[in-house]
Amino acid sequence: TPTANAGSDATIDCNTTSVSIGTSAVSGFTYAWTPTTGLSNSTAAQPTATPNTTTTYSLVITNLSTGCSSAADTVVVTVDNTTPTANAGSDATIDCNTTSATIGTSAVSGFAYAWTPTTGLSSSTVAQPVATPTSTTTYTLVITNSSTGCTASDTVVVTVDNATPTANAGSDATIDCNTTSVSIGTSAVSGFTYAWTPTTGLSNSTAAQPTATPNTTTTYSLVITNLSTGCSSAADTVVVTVDNTTPTANAGSDATIDCNTTS
């Protein structure tokens, strides 16, 4: 009785579209494969298999001179051509309130992880590293299915915006008998909020350039905050001096010029 040899099990993945099954033909034998789906030739000794799904092929050979047929031998063609999906995580920002950002997502068993560039990463081969770049960086993640070698990539941007804003309370000013108020601060800049203390004597304590009418000499302090990052400046101060005392003139005593005096 002849012996059939369907060959070794094989895999079709993202790197291959077909596999060869069976072994070399032997003269005097016929070959019959079932099922025929996905085969280049169901009566060849070594056909090419391109199934869409995992398939077990069965081979029976027959000796033409005797008519004797072999027992069936099988081979499994596994189809695993799913391309993995990489997820580098959501874009993140490092600002004055944060020193690092976690990127990526939780690890999945059976996959390898590779990040580029490696600069500023706690590890370039873990699924979810901690990023501490010193400047805005776009990181690329490539994941590889360890069983098939299939790869996929995704990117994430870590923006570094940790500049602390600078407050400008303006120049010191004086209220005197000729003035009743002064303007302090400087022109507003879009994207910033303004906070003055104390609020006493101010037309608006949240304006960039309020009018100040204190009754006594006052030192005003200004802090500005960047709305996009939440970063606040160090305080800057301005002194408004109140000196509105009216001076007193003294022309001296009355006097007389007569024949005895000339002036």
Side-chain angles (χ1 to χ4, degrees):
T1 302
T3 301
N5 185 354
S8 301
D9 292 341
T11 298
I12 292 175
D13 57 29
C14 60
N15 299 309
T16 58
T17 56
S18 63
V19 292
S20 179
I21 58 176
T23 55
S24 300
V26 177
S27 179
F29 289 86
T30 61
Y31 298 81
W33 293 90
T34 54
T36 61
T37 306
L39 294 182
S40 59
N41 187 337
S42 63
T43 61
Q46 206 169 18
T48 298
T50 55
N52 292 321
T53 59
T54 298
T55 303
T56 300
Y57 290 104
S58 179
L59 171 65
V60 173
I61 65 173
T62 301
N63 188 324
L64 288 174
S65 63
T66 65
C68 293
S69 294
S70 69
D73 188 41
T74 59
V75 63
V76 178
V77 178
T78 301
V79 177
D80 184 9
N81 56 5
T82 303
T83 301
T85 301
N87 187 352
S90 301
D91 292 342
T93 298
I94 293 174
D95 56 31
C96 62
N97 299 309
T98 57
T99 55
S100 64
T102 298
I103 57 177
T105 53
S106 299
V108 177
S109 178
F111 289 87
Y113 298 82
W115 292 90
T116 54
T118 61
T119 307
L121 294 183
S122 58
S123 172
S124 62
T125 59
V126 298
Q128 209 167 16
V130 175
T132 54
T134 55
S135 59
T136 298
T137 303
T138 299
Y139 291 103
T140 299
L141 169 65
V142 175
I143 67 170
T144 302
N145 186 324
S146 300
S147 64
T148 66
C150 297
T151 64
S153 66
D154 190 33
T155 60
V156 63
V157 179
V158 178
T159 301
V160 177
D161 183 10
N162 55 7
T164 302
T166 301
N168 185 353
S171 301
D172 292 341
T174 298
I175 293 175
D176 56 27
C177 60
N178 296 310
T179 58
T180 57
S181 64
V182 292
S183 178
I184 58 176
T186 55
S187 299
V189 177
S190 178
F192 290 86
T193 60
Y194 298 81
W196 292 91
T197 54
T199 61
T200 307
L202 294 184
S203 59
N204 187 338
S205 64
T206 61
Q209 206 167 21
T211 299
T213 55
N215 293 321
T216 60
T217 297
T218 303
T219 299
Y220 290 103
S221 177
L222 171 65
V223 173
I224 67 172
T225 301
N226 186 325
L227 287 174
S228 66
T229 65
C231 296
S232 294
S233 69
D236 188 41
T237 59
V238 61
V239 178
V240 178
T241 301
V242 177
D243 183 9
N244 54 9
T245 304
T246 302
T248 302
N250 186 353
S253 301
D254 293 343
T256 300
I257 296 175
D258 56 24
C259 62
N260 299 311
T261 60
T262 59
S263 63

